[in-house]
Amino acid sequence: MTMNEIYEKLKEKIQIEHIRLQEMMRDHTSFKIGGPADIMVLPTTIEEVQHALLVCRENHVPYYVIGNGSNLLVRDKGIRGVVIKIAENFSDIVIDGSRIKAQAGILLSVLSKKIMRESLEGFEFASGIPGTLGGAVSMNAGAYGGEMKDVVIGASVLDHNCNVIYLDREQLAFEYRNSLVQREGFIVLEVDIALQKGDYERIKEITADLTVKRTTKQPLHLPSAGSTFKRPPGYFAGKLIEDAGLKGVRVGDAQVSELHSGFVVNVGNATAADVIHLIKLIQKVVRDQFEVELHPEVRIVGEE
């Protein structure tokens, strides 16, 4: 089946303004890198998400579900098939006392501000984490001593049959930068969070302090996908990379950040090939010098 035929099938239940053709992925990733996607769908309802998935699965069309693209490197030839983006187009929130129900596409930064205004504490750690709530739950994102597993009490997800199922905290089986959602390839739709009432000024102070730490220690002024590598047991990836003498090393316009060696940044017009080449170089040098294997935290997708 051709992409034009897939487009026509998608239009049967998805508003035409929610479907884009030949959409450049560099406009949908924090790395500002990536070629065109054949089709991008920006659903606003669970039904639209389900329809997009069913069309792809029934017609054996490859698909990729993304959030805000903050942990994503798309190859230069782009993505063949359908990209389903669950971000600002899917970001409603309801706060009831100390409980929050939010759609998966809401940005953690936006959610954090809404939570702070309600004087709810426990979510401060997530205020500066880039990306969406759904992506954060899938990979159990964390920072400064907190993780999603500490605040999430359950989530509605789409399973392999496109059925909506509810998983409580135990069923989500959170691990370090992992969860059942990620392992099974489920799609997060809505998330339930439980916090506690706190002092607004104290919450604001903690959030501001964490913001200062991030902005002074991380290269947030340059496009990147956040931490490039997972933390190897017993080590810090950034320190290993720096100790290996790789701080500031470049391949094309991809560079090991001079501010924090755990980040690969785009200092101009880096290609995905530049970044992948640099990642492989880092892995080899660290392996040769320290006998430690670094595994990318960034998700690499697209046509090679």
Side-chain angles (χ1 to χ4, degrees):
M1 182 166 284
T2 67
M3 282 297 109
N4 284 336
E5 290 171 317
I6 294 299
Y7 176 68
E8 292 300 320
K9 283 189 169 291
L10 289 169
K11 285 197 305 181
E12 291 174 6
K13 293 187 180 180
I14 299 175
Q15 296 182 52
I16 192 168
E17 60 267 28
H18 300 162
I19 310 172
R20 299 179 185 177
L21 302 177
Q22 293 299 307
E23 186 75 4
M24 293 303 293
M25 291 303 298
R26 64 170 174 257
D27 297 326
H28 297 274
T29 69
S30 57
F31 239 142
K32 305 302 180 189
I33 294 172
D38 289 338
I39 298 175
M40 176 176 283
V41 178
L42 298 101
T44 59
T45 66
I46 291 175
E47 290 71 28
E48 286 189 340
V49 178
Q50 287 174 307
H51 181 64
L53 284 168
L54 286 170
V55 167
C56 292
R57 291 176 179 176
E58 289 173 358
N59 295 282
H60 308 290
V61 173
Y63 66 88
Y64 300 87
V65 180
I66 70 168
N68 202 47
S70 58
N71 193 42
L72 191 66
L73 176 64
V74 178
R75 292 186 175 94
D76 302 306
K77 291 182 180 179
I79 295 177
R80 304 290 71 79
V82 177
V83 172
I84 302 168
K85 182 175 180 179
I86 298 177
E88 64 276 0
N89 46 296
F90 200 84
S91 58
D92 290 345
I93 175 176
V94 175
I95 299 178
D96 183 10
S98 60
R99 296 292 179 96
I100 299 106
K101 181 181 288 291
Q103 288 186 319
I106 192 167
L107 288 172
L108 291 180
S109 56
V110 173
L111 179 57
S112 177
K113 288 174 184 174
K114 291 179 181 290
I115 285 171
M116 182 169 65
R117 284 200 290 267
E118 299 295 323
S119 299
L120 294 173
E121 65 180 16
F123 203 74
E124 296 89 339
F125 74 91
S127 61
I129 298 176
T132 62
L133 178 60
V137 170
S138 177
M139 68 174 292
N140 187 26
Y144 297 105
E147 293 181 297
M148 296 309 297
K149 69 178 179 60
D150 302 327
V151 296
V152 171
I153 58 173
S156 296
V157 305
L158 277 183
D159 66 11
H160 298 302
N161 298 314
C162 288
N163 294 319
V164 179
I165 61 172
Y166 188 82
L167 302 173
D168 62 26
R169 176 185 285 160
E170 185 174 340
Q171 291 169 319
L172 286 166
F174 288 116
E175 296 177 0
Y176 176 70
R177 301 298 175 265
N178 205 345
S179 72
L180 179 72
V181 171
Q182 186 163 275
R183 290 190 292 273
E184 291 291 333
F186 293 160
I187 298 170
V188 181
L189 299 170
E190 293 181 334
V191 181
D192 290 325
I193 294 170
L195 301 171
Q196 50 276 334
K197 282 289 184 180
D199 178 72
Y200 173 77
E201 291 301 328
R202 176 61 178 157
I203 296 166
K204 186 177 178 182
E205 181 184 336
I206 292 171
T207 302
D209 180 56
L210 293 181
T211 299
V212 169
K213 287 181 178 178
R214 287 188 180 93
T215 55
T216 55
K217 294 181 179 179
Q218 298 179 6
L220 303 182
H221 61 295
L222 290 170
S224 78
S227 297
T228 306
F229 299 98
K230 297 177 182 178
R231 182 187 297 177
Y235 298 92
F236 291 97
K239 187 173 189 312
L240 285 169
I241 295 166
E242 183 172 349
D243 290 349
L246 294 170
K247 177 177 277 193
V249 167
R250 286 177 64 159
V251 173
D253 276 347
Q255 181 184 48
V256 176
S257 169
E258 295 177 320
L259 184 61
H260 189 313
S261 297
F263 288 67
V264 169
V265 294
N266 179 359
V267 297
N269 294 300
T271 64
D274 291 339
V275 175
I276 292 168
H277 186 170
L278 184 53
I279 284 173
K280 290 179 178 177
L281 174 64
I282 293 166
Q283 289 174 310
K284 182 181 187 307
V285 173
V286 169
R287 185 189 309 118
D288 289 348
Q289 288 195 28
F290 304 110
E291 297 183 350
V292 176
E293 196 70 41
L294 291 179
H295 298 284
E297 188 164 298
V298 59
R299 180 181 167 206
I300 302 172
V301 302
E303 184 181 1
E304 296 194 49

